[in-house]
Amino acid sequence: MIAGTWLIGLGIVFLIRQATDRPWAELWPLFVILVGVASLVSTLVGGRGLRGGLWALTWPIAWIVVGVILLLSTTGYLGRGPGELIAEYWPWALVVIGVWFLLGAIWPWGPRHAEAVVVPLAGATEGNVRIKFGAGTLSSHVAATGNLVDGTFRGGALHRNRGGGRVDLEQDWGWGFGWFGWMGRGSEWDLGLSGEVPLAIRLDTGASRIRLDLAEHQVRNLELHTGASDTIIRLPRAAGVTSVRAEAGAASLTLEVPTGVAARIRTRVGLGNTDIDEARFPRAGDGYESADYATATNRVDIDVQGGVGSFKVVGTA
């Protein structure tokens, strides 16, 4: 449908050119209108216009309105050229855009969609879960028996089951967010992860608040890529050996290590602050290490690097 819309639109533009015999110097805004119409069709075909209300239609409508104004200008109906219009009215454009941003920040239109997702284990003996979470709050719990992933995803979620215990989860920016997606309210995810099989988890986050309790999970590998986030993760209590690798930007990252779990910690934080519980994890060489790390049944190997932020490792019960 989108391809058909582009072809029909291009045909109409050239037909108007032939019928009016006007130069392209006057008719070029038709291509701006075409971009708006094609974007409108794309949004409606994807269902975002129905889900997100007027906010999802902002860009298509803006392209169409701007194109019509430019067309009226180039064809002489407004009595002034595009350059004159821009020179005279650009402050008003800033005012309109600013008001639209404020409305998006304090009154996001469209429904707060809550979506339930269940991905069964289906015989998988291990799990590989990749999570992309840009804005909002993410918390976790132990999934129901027989499920690799389950939970409630307020704000919507796109999930892809790649088979063999591999699942990708990503925010669905079409559910009632603001003009660019990040203007509206962030998502609220309550994510369930299996406690029955070993897991490899990759988490990519933006401006978000993350609270993951992995104490009762069998996490073998945990990979974090965080931006301006506030992240607290409770590590597994009895998972054997767990590898944690983290890259943090202007973020706050706290890792909680349960009692009875040894840890080896290496950190390379630029201008940030590092706070390690040295009573549990004394200094050893260029890092920190539990006295019984080499012989402990349950242990975590932590490697963190980052920029301007804070990194903390604390012992918990």
Side-chain angles (χ1 to χ4, degrees):
M1 292 182 65
I2 297 172
T5 300
W6 275 103
L7 290 173
I8 293 171
L10 286 171
I12 291 175
V13 168
F14 287 110
L15 285 173
I16 292 175
R17 166 74 169 79
Q18 289 181 351
T20 61
D21 199 29
R22 288 179 177 266
W24 285 117
E26 295 182 6
L27 298 182
W28 63 264
L30 289 173
F31 291 103
V32 178
I33 298 174
L34 175 58
V35 170
V37 173
S39 299
L40 181 64
V41 173
S42 177
T43 301
L44 294 175
V45 168
R48 294 184 177 181
L50 299 177
R51 297 179 297 183
L54 293 178
W55 293 110
L57 303 179
T58 298
W59 272 118
I61 293 175
W63 279 108
I64 293 172
V65 170
V66 169
V68 169
I69 292 175
L70 289 174
L71 183 63
L72 293 175
S73 174
T74 57
T75 53
Y77 288 98
L78 293 183
R80 62 190 68 184
E84 295 175 282
L85 288 176
I86 294 173
E88 184 173 351
Y89 291 104
W90 68 265
W92 285 104
L94 295 179
V95 171
V96 171
I97 293 173
V99 170
W100 196 250
F101 269 66
L102 289 175
L103 287 174
I106 64 177
W107 186 20
W109 296 349
R112 281 305 293 284
H113 175 71
E115 182 176 2
V117 173
V118 176
V119 179
L121 279 169
T125 57
E126 60 182 12
N128 187 313
V129 182
R130 298 180 180 178
I131 304 165
K132 291 184 178 181
F133 191 80
T137 302
L138 170 63
S139 59
S140 71
H141 63 272
V142 179
T145 301
N147 291 339
L148 174 60
V149 169
D150 61 24
T152 303
F153 302 85
R154 187 171 297 278
L158 302 173
H159 69 281
R160 178 189 176 198
N161 187 350
R162 296 183 290 145
R166 298 175 298 167
V167 177
D168 296 340
L169 294 167
E170 184 176 357
Q171 281 179 295
D172 184 355
W173 292 106
W175 289 100
F177 286 93
W179 193 359
F180 295 100
W182 44 262
M183 273 184 57
R185 293 169 291 182
S187 297
E188 296 176 11
W189 283 13
D190 182 16
L191 170 64
L193 296 169
S194 175
E196 303 172 63
V197 298
L199 298 176
I201 302 172
R202 174 177 172 132
L203 181 61
D204 295 275
T205 69
S208 53
R209 183 174 182 269
I210 311 297
R211 299 291 183 268
L212 296 185
D213 187 351
L214 305 177
E216 307 304 322
H217 295 79
Q218 305 174 48
V219 180
R220 296 290 188 261
N221 294 283
L222 176 61
E223 184 177 349
L224 305 173
H225 300 271
T226 67
S229 66
D230 175 17
T231 302
I232 299 177
I233 300 177
R234 191 179 188 196
L235 297 175
R237 190 189 309 278
V241 180
T242 299
S243 173
V244 179
R245 299 290 179 266
E247 294 181 2
S252 171
L253 173 60
T254 300
L255 300 178
E256 299 180 351
V257 182
T259 299
V261 179
R264 180 171 62 191
I265 305 161
R266 294 182 297 275
T267 176
R268 298 179 299 281
V269 177
L271 300 178
N273 176 56
T274 299
D275 183 6
I276 309 297
D277 183 358
E278 294 192 41
R280 286 258 327 254
F281 318 109
R283 286 185 177 273
D286 59 351
Y288 306 82
E289 186 173 316
S290 302
D292 61 340
Y293 179 81
T295 58
T297 301
N298 299 303
R299 59 185 188 267
V300 294
D301 182 53
I302 301 171
D303 190 332
V304 175
Q305 58 182 337
V308 181
S310 67
F311 170 57
K312 181 186 296 186
V313 178
V314 298
T316 60

